[in-house]
């Protein structure tokens, strides 16, 4: 379910670990900025998922760890509702969600507690990001990727901390950001941008794996190059 997620929202508490290996950025949702990690440079592409479906990153974002559960707003209500992705692999034969008294089962209660902490972190993160935005410190992150044929493609929709403007803040504005705990987030986002090179290496590695798999499949089915479809039985191991 993660292989098509190129950009994923995170909370500030995740930055310490996520920024070590993943580029962090801001995306724009309606009229506000949201802190996120960049997992791919093209839509529906996640380079941290191997071709065989394995997660190859050291850090797993909280939104993935909580799957298939999440909290969502209900129209006309202030409280959040627990939502379950029915395609998340849950079995009707597994542990029930609620006990005989109608209370959440132990495992479900753990998920609810985890999701509640994420939601609290999200609200705090949104406040901090707004402080940076109000200070004029969020700007577009111009990114360009080169194809194997040398062609260039611009990547849009990502934003970063405006480092030059941050360095030019007066004392009053700087102290305001420090009191709001926006400075650690700003600096970690800036430092994480160097990880954009990791995405390029992961993309190249996946292309090479796909090419090798295609070559092996071609050799397996066709053997020598000709127009007749055949199976190369020499690829099989026989046991007596």
């Amino acid at each position: 379910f993660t292989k098509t997620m190129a950009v994923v929202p995170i909370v500030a508490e995740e930055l310490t670990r996520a920024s070590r290996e993943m580029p962090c950025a801001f995306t724009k949702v309606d009229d506000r900025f949201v802190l996120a990690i960049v997992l791919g440079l093209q839509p529906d592409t996640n380079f941290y998922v191997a071709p065989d479906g394995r997660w190859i990153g050291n850090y797993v974002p909280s939104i993935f760890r909580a799957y298939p559960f999440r909290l969502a707003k209900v129209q006309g209500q202030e409280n959040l509702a627990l939502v379950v992705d029915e395609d998340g692999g849950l079995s009707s034969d597994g542990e029930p969600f609620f006990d005989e008294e109608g209370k959440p089962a132990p495992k479900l209660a753990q998920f609810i507690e985890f999701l509640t902490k994420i939601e609290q972190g999200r609200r705090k993160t949104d406040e901090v990001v707004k402080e940076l935005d109000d200070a004029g410190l969020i700007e577009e992150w111009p990114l360009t990727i080169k194809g194997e044929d040398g062609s260039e493609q611009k990547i849009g929709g990502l934003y970063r901390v405006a480092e030059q403007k941050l360095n030019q803040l007066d004392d009053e504005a700087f102290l305001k950001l420090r009191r709001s705990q926006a400075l650690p987030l700003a600096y970690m986002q800036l430092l994480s941008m160097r990880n954009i090179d990791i995405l390029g290496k992961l993309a190249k590695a996946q292309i090479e794996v796909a090419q090798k798999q295609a070559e092996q499949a071609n050799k397996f089915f066709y053997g020598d190059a000709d127009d007749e479809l055949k199976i190369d039985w020499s690829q099989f191991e026989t046991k007596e």
Side-chain angles (χ1 to χ4, degrees):
F1 74 96
T2 65
K3 65 181 180 180
T4 60
M5 297 183 179
V7 180
V8 174
I10 61 172
V11 297
E13 289 83 353
E14 297 182 81
L15 269 179
T16 302
R17 295 187 60 188
S19 62
R20 296 175 184 174
E21 60 177 297
M22 302 167 179
C24 303
F26 303 101
T27 59
K28 203 161 190 178
V29 179
D30 298 329
D31 59 346
R32 64 187 180 88
F33 290 103
V34 175
L35 181 65
I37 51 174
V38 184
L39 304 174
L41 295 176
Q42 296 176 336
D44 301 327
T45 302
N46 184 343
F47 295 138
Y48 287 84
V49 177
D52 60 4
R54 289 180 298 110
W55 178 262
I56 58 178
N58 291 317
Y59 181 71
V60 181
S62 62
I63 191 173
F64 294 161
R65 282 180 278 144
Y67 188 81
F69 301 102
R70 65 183 178 88
L71 295 179
K73 292 183 179 180
V74 179
Q75 188 174 3
Q77 298 183 19
E78 294 184 2
N79 295 332
L80 297 174
L82 180 67
V83 179
V84 183
D85 185 349
E86 294 182 350
D87 296 326
L90 292 178
S91 172
S92 58
D93 298 329
E95 180 180 329
F97 284 175
F98 301 94
D99 60 21
E100 296 178 354
E101 297 180 359
K103 296 180 181 180
K107 287 187 177 179
L108 181 61
Q110 291 177 3
F111 271 106
I112 293 175
E113 181 181 4
F114 181 58
L115 288 168
T116 300
K117 290 181 179 178
I118 294 176
E119 177 61 20
Q120 293 171 347
R122 183 193 64 78
R123 293 179 181 179
K124 177 59 180 177
T125 301
D126 288 347
E127 293 174 1
V128 172
V129 172
K130 188 176 184 304
E131 290 285 345
L132 292 172
D133 185 25
D134 290 344
L137 295 178
I138 297 181
E139 64 181 11
E140 187 176 358
W141 184 0
L143 283 172
T144 302
I145 58 174
K146 286 187 177 182
E148 293 184 351
D149 58 356
S151 61
E152 294 187 350
Q153 179 182 356
K154 292 184 177 180
I155 307 298
L158 297 178
Y159 299 81
R160 65 184 179 185
V161 171
E163 185 176 8
Q164 185 174 358
K165 292 181 180 179
L166 177 61
N167 293 334
Q168 293 175 347
L169 287 177
D170 57 37
D171 292 346
E172 183 179 353
F174 187 86
L175 289 173
K176 181 180 179 182
L177 290 178
R178 191 178 73 175
R179 286 192 293 267
S180 66
Q181 300 180 350
L183 290 179
L185 187 152
Y187 288 128
M188 280 190 282
Q189 189 280 315
L190 287 170
L191 287 172
S192 76
M193 292 195 303
R194 61 187 177 185
N195 295 330
I196 202 72
D197 292 338
I198 294 179
L199 289 182
K201 293 177 181 178
L202 289 174
K204 184 178 180 181
Q206 291 199 16
I207 291 174
E208 291 176 351
V209 169
Q211 290 175 342
K212 288 182 179 179
Q213 289 177 339
E215 291 172 359
Q216 291 173 352
N218 185 65
K219 184 178 180 181
F220 177 79
F221 283 106
Y222 294 98
D224 298 329
D226 54 36
D227 295 330
E228 182 181 356
L229 175 63
K230 63 182 180 180
I231 295 179
D232 183 2
W233 295 105
S234 65
Q235 299 299 315
F236 288 90
E237 290 186 2
T238 59
K239 297 181 179 180
E240 297 182 357

